[in-house]
């Protein structure tokens, strides 16, 4: 999706991915191999104006070797839930209670590292014994989940998309809606700006938030373009992908305004009939060319200014598969 946004700007792309069938092979040169293989990293960066990543479990040393933007510090923070929470707290950003602060159960036991899409977390009914490599997290009684897509340019200028309201099931994002009704936009922007400035961040960052009665609690940050920002491809003046490229190439940032009310639905596990979705002339369908597998994100659809009936009908088509 980064390449799809960059090709019209005259950019060309080279990718590194461990999977030979990575979707990126369709839109640039694909190097296949481990993220930490020095020879491949050097080939990846050879002649490039900028190197970036869109997966937060890329090794920090690999990001350092290629001089990636955003720089490796953001990866270090986001790869360890304890370091991440400590940073939030140092910057005055509220978070869920952890470890000995947790007083009510059930609570969530999460792995400190390598968790995403709800992987590496489970509910526990009582306080567990010593669990090295894990963090115990109090359940936040949230009204809804929100995310803020933020971007900071190479010169330090910032821009923020409207807050997104997200629905998850089994820890996996199912749908996003913009704008989130009566959302605390200024509070979210203030928190994100503190993170961007502290990290000297360049590129798009996603801040995942719980809304508890209008008060925001930070869940985690993703130092990359984010699934809850896929709606920006058709739904915003400038997509998160284009703005990420503009930022890391030291170009002016584009407008982050939404083009209306936008709904994004993920296609997970199995694909619905594309023809049935495309019967609706204004459904934007994105298929990633991935092999179907339970829980895997295979694509998404976006609707701009849809009627509620259309959202219901398209949701039914999408959910029929689950
Ligand atoms: P994570 O892997 O931390 O992004 O968690 C995935 C999803 O699990 C979140 O989007 C929430 O739906 C849920 N979740 C994670 N942490 C908490 C928490 N402390 N309280 C309530 N729900 C949570």
């Amino acid at each position: 999706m980064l390449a799809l946004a960059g090709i019209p700007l005259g950019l060309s792309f080279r990718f590194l991915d461990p999977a030979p069938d990575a979707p990126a092979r369709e839109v640039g040169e694909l190097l296949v191999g481990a993220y930490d293989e020095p020879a491949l990293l050097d080939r990846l960066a050879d002649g490039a104006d900028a190197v970036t990543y869109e997966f937060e479990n890329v090794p920090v040393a690999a990001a350092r070797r290629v001089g990636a933007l955003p720089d490796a510090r953001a990866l270090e923070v986001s790869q360890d839930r304890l370091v991440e929470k400590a940073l939030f707290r140092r910057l005055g950003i509220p978070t869920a209670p952890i470890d000995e602060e947790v007083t009510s159960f059930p609570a969530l036991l999460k792995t400190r590292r390598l968790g995403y899409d709800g992987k590496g977390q489970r509910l526990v009914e009582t306080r567990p014994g010593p669990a090295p490599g894990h963090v115990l997290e109090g359940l936040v009684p949230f009204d809804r989940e929100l995310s803020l897509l933020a971007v900071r340019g190479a010169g330090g200028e910032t821009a923020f998309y409207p807050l997104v309201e997200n629905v998850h099931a089994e820890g996996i994002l199912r749908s996003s809606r913009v704008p989130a009704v009566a959302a605390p936009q200024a509070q979210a922007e203030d928190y994100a700006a503190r993170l961007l400035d502290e990290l000297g961040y360049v590129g798009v960052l996603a801040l995942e938030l719980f809304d508890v009665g209008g008060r925001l609690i930070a869940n985690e940050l993703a130092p990359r373009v984010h699934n809850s920002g896929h709606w920006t491809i058709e739904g915003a003046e400038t997509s998160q992908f284009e703005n990420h490229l503009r930022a890391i190439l030291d170009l002016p940032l584009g407008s982050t305004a939404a083009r209306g009310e936008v709904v994004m639905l993920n296609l997970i596990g199995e694909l619905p009939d594309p023809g049935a979705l495309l019967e609706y002339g204004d459904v934007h369908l994105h298929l990633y060319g991935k092999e179907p597998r339970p829980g895997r994100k295979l694509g998404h659809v976006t609707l701009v200014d849809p009627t509620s009936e259309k959202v219901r009908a398209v949701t039914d088509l999408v959910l029929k598969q689950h």
Side-chain angles (χ1 to χ4, degrees):
M1 285 183 260
L2 284 164
L4 291 174
I7 290 167
L9 293 174
L11 305 173
S12 55
F13 292 82
R14 187 183 300 138
F15 302 95
L16 173 59
D17 197 300
D21 61 349
R25 74 190 186 286
E26 304 288 352
V27 284
E29 180 190 355
L30 177 65
L31 311 178
V32 178
Y35 292 129
D36 56 3
E37 214 176 289
L40 278 180
L41 290 167
D42 293 347
R43 263 177 70 201
L44 179 71
D46 183 33
D49 294 314
V51 183
T52 190
Y53 48 87
E54 49 87 87
F55 178 53
E56 65 264 42
N57 291 327
V58 165
V60 167
R64 287 236 162 79
R65 185 178 183 99
V66 295
L69 287 176
D71 83 28
R73 225 185 118 207
L75 274 179
E76 265 174 334
V77 169
S78 68
Q79 285 177 358
D80 186 328
R81 292 187 191 273
L82 275 183
V83 175
E84 184 177 56
K85 287 229 162 40
L87 176 67
F88 286 151
R89 288 169 180 211
R90 187 156 62 74
L91 297 176
I93 303 170
T95 68
I98 52 165
D99 294 336
E100 57 287 345
E101 298 161 1
V102 176
T103 53
S104 66
F105 289 84
L108 279 172
L109 190 65
K110 297 183 174 183
T111 54
R112 274 181 69 174
R113 301 177 65 84
L114 298 180
Y116 71 99
D117 277 0
K119 293 185 175 77
Q121 59 169 276
R122 63 189 169 90
L123 269 182
V124 291
E125 298 296 334
T126 55
R127 185 175 296 280
H134 287 72
V135 54
L136 182 67
E137 205 176 287
L139 275 185
V140 176
F142 59 78
D143 301 316
R144 57 180 175 172
E145 293 190 74
L146 302 173
S147 61
L148 186 73
L149 283 310
V151 57
R152 185 172 180 276
E157 68 282 22
T158 54
F160 305 90
Y161 289 89
L163 272 167
V164 188
E165 183 167 337
N166 300 309
V167 175
H168 293 82
E170 288 122 38
I172 304 173
L173 181 67
R174 305 288 155 158
S175 65
S176 295
R177 187 178 279 266
V178 168
V181 176
Q185 181 79 26
Q187 194 184 337
E189 289 188 10
D190 175 41
Y191 292 160
R194 292 183 207 182
L195 288 163
L196 292 172
D197 289 338
E198 168 68 21
L199 294 169
Y201 196 91
V202 179
V204 167
L205 172 144
L207 179 59
E208 297 181 25
L209 299 154
F210 300 123
D211 180 353
V212 188
R215 183 171 169 265
L216 294 176
I217 293 178
N219 177 32
E220 60 182 8
L221 68 83
R224 53 173 171 84
V225 287
H226 193 253
N227 192 178
S228 70
H230 286 7
W231 65 272
T232 60
I233 298 173
E234 294 90 5
E237 293 296 338
T238 315
S239 78
Q240 63 166 347
F241 302 101
E242 181 174 336
N243 258 338
H244 184 74
L245 296 171
R246 289 183 184 222
I248 65 173
L249 292 167
D250 198 7
L251 294 168
L253 301 181
S255 163
T256 49
R259 291 186 162 138
E261 291 182 18
V262 191
V263 175
M264 189 284 306
L265 304 170
N266 268 338
L267 307 177
I268 296 169
E270 266 184 89
L271 285 178
D273 171 19
L277 284 170
L278 294 174
E279 283 287 329
Y280 296 90
D282 54 356
V283 162
H284 301 284
L285 176 62
H286 297 253
L287 301 178
Y288 308 155
K290 290 181 178 172
E291 224 29 70
R293 199 194 296 153
R296 195 174 203 198
K297 291 171 178 169
L298 304 174
H300 72 269
V301 296
T302 303
L303 299 159
V304 181
D305 279 334
T307 60
S308 47
E309 294 80 60
K310 190 174 292 177
V311 174
R312 251 195 308 277
V314 172
T315 304
D316 282 350
L317 278 175
V318 167
L319 292 183
K320 246 203 281 186
Q321 305 305 312
H322 302 305

